[in-house]
Amino acid sequence: MSTVFTGIGELVTNDPSQGDGSRLGIVTDGAIVVEGERIAWIGERRHAPDADARIDLGGGSVIPGFVDSHAHLVFAGERSAEFAARMSGQPYAAGGIATTVAATRAADDAALRHGLARWADEMVRGGITTFETKSGYGLTVADEARALRLASDFTPETTFLGAHVVPAEYRDDRDGYVDLVTGPMLAECAPLARWIDVFCDRGAFDVDESEAILRAGAAAGLIPRLHAGQLELGAGIQLAVELGAASVDHCTYASDADVEALASAAGTTVATLLPGAEFCTRATYPDAQRFLAAGATVALATDCNPGSSFTSSMSFCIALAVRDMYFTPAQALWSATAGGAAALRRDDVGVLEPGTRADFVALDAPSYVHLAYRPGVPLVRDVVMAGSVVSTPGF
Ligand code: NIG
Ligand code: FE
């Protein structure tokens, strides 16, 4: 059974061999033929082969589904009071994580699953067709394993973040907590995760602790990624590059040497920028052009979490990235799709070409540029995931 999707005024493929030959590979009046979960053919409509069925996407722009390579969706409770305090001048600190840890430990599985389903549904309706999610609000062996078990029902991209902060009960025994994370917690969590992450920053873990945890994770078969440079300059970005991590995320603070290291590791370690975090913590945005001009691979992700970035909207992140991080609209779109796929080391998503997953999004707009040009407007009209239309107007 094959389906041809038409009504595509502008088709962003991320395949430079298509259409205008730009990095976004933009085809005018395009069509996509889908067989099962994959793309069988893509190009100009006038050349499209016959198919068993036809779906009209409304004539606007069609883009690859967003790939959100950084989110924290297993949690209970919310922290609007903390957000309001920040907007009245309080600074953001890693310590707020403890509030969510307490609420998450107290929640039953059904409540956590219900939350995950809600955030995942928000993401899909907003055009995110692949997302990663982390543990990190449990911080006991049982609670971290539970978070990963629940998350695995929603995404294959699960990340063990036992090293989010040192929990209160280990305040006077940091080494004891690192031993727990690298020992029994890792043993229980490694089979449930693909990735391992550490929050390497002020108030969380230092670079030596981070290295020990990531090396232990790698020895257990997990692939490292790292939170670094959110709150201050540090050695985290260089550590991520040294370890061949798949990504280093935030990079709000990055030295010239950090940027150079990321550029030299462009095929291996992606710099993932998280504009929702700067927005929600009222921090200064990093200038994406530093990373892009140097040649680093750059991804954009939501960092959706109740403390520092409570948005599940990639469109909103693209608008912030363009307006405040100096991405061009084309760079932002690439980073939110192909860049995210690179950060998750996935070659089956983020690009629309024969053989990749049929994950794409039809916008109620003539051009993808409207994602930044019309901030806050819900432009996602249809979401196609693995070949099936999962949302329709009014969904
Ligand atoms: O990515 N930086 C560490 N973790 C989250 C914040 C989590 C929280 O404040 O609850 C982040 O921004
Ligand atoms: Fe994060």
Side-chain angles (χ1 to χ4, degrees), residues 205-243:
F205 294 86
D206 69 24
V207 72
D208 294 331
E209 293 166 338
S210 301
E211 178 168 0
I213 294 162
L214 293 181
R215 284 196 189 280
L222 302 178
I223 313 168
R225 45 198 325 112
L226 192 62
H227 283 72
Q230 179 186 6
L231 305 175
E232 63 184 16
L233 272 175
I237 294 175
Q238 309 248 8
L239 172 67
V241 169
E242 237 172 80
L243 295 181

Side-chain angles (χ1 to χ4, degrees), residues 142-160:
D143 287 306
E144 286 295 297
R146 171 170 81 140
L148 291 167
R149 220 172 275 120
L150 290 166
S152 306
D153 288 341
F154 293 84
T155 177
E157 303 299 345
T158 53
T159 300
F160 170 45

Side-chain angles (χ1 to χ4, degrees), residues 9-145:
E10 171 191 85
L11 174 56
V12 177
T13 64
N14 283 341
D15 173 0
S17 73
Q18 285 275 9
D20 66 356
S22 71
R23 200 184 194 198
L24 295 188
I26 298 175
V27 176
T28 303
D29 193 10
I32 305 171
V33 178
V34 171
E35 270 175 34
E37 299 189 346
R38 305 267 162 176
I39 293 174
W41 184 91
I42 183 164
E44 284 179 55
R45 184 176 56 94
R46 61 198 174 103
H47 298 310
D50 285 341
D52 304 319
R54 193 173 87 85
I55 294 178
D56 190 297
L57 292 173
S61 180
V62 168
I63 60 174
F66 295 129
V67 179
D68 187 359
S69 60
H70 185 144
H72 307 245
L73 305 185
V74 195
F75 63 87
E78 55 94 40
R79 283 152 57 194
S80 54
E82 187 187 305
F83 177 78
R86 269 202 307 279
M87 295 305 115
S88 341
Q90 296 287 315
Y92 173 76
I97 292 169
T99 310
T100 301
V101 170
T104 305
R105 286 178 179 175
D108 63 18
D109 289 9
L112 294 179
R113 194 178 294 111
H114 184 263
L116 259 163
R118 174 173 172 190
W119 316 127
D121 180 60
E122 276 185 14
M123 284 186 161
V124 171
R125 281 192 284 161
I128 293 172
T129 50
T130 301
F131 67 88
E132 179 261 18
T133 200
K134 304 173 197 295
S135 66
Y137 291 120
L139 311 186
T140 66
V141 174
D143 287 306
E144 286 295 297

Side-chain angles (χ1 to χ4, degrees), residues 70-72 132 134 137 161 164 197 199 227 230 249-250 274 277 302-305 308-309:
H70 185 144
H72 307 245
E132 179 261 18
K134 304 173 197 295
Y137 291 120
L161 179 60
H164 201 182
D197 195 346
F199 184 15
H227 283 72
Q230 179 186 6
D249 301 26
H250 286 286
L274 307 171
T302 64
D303 193 16
C304 183
N305 78 79
S308 64
S309 182

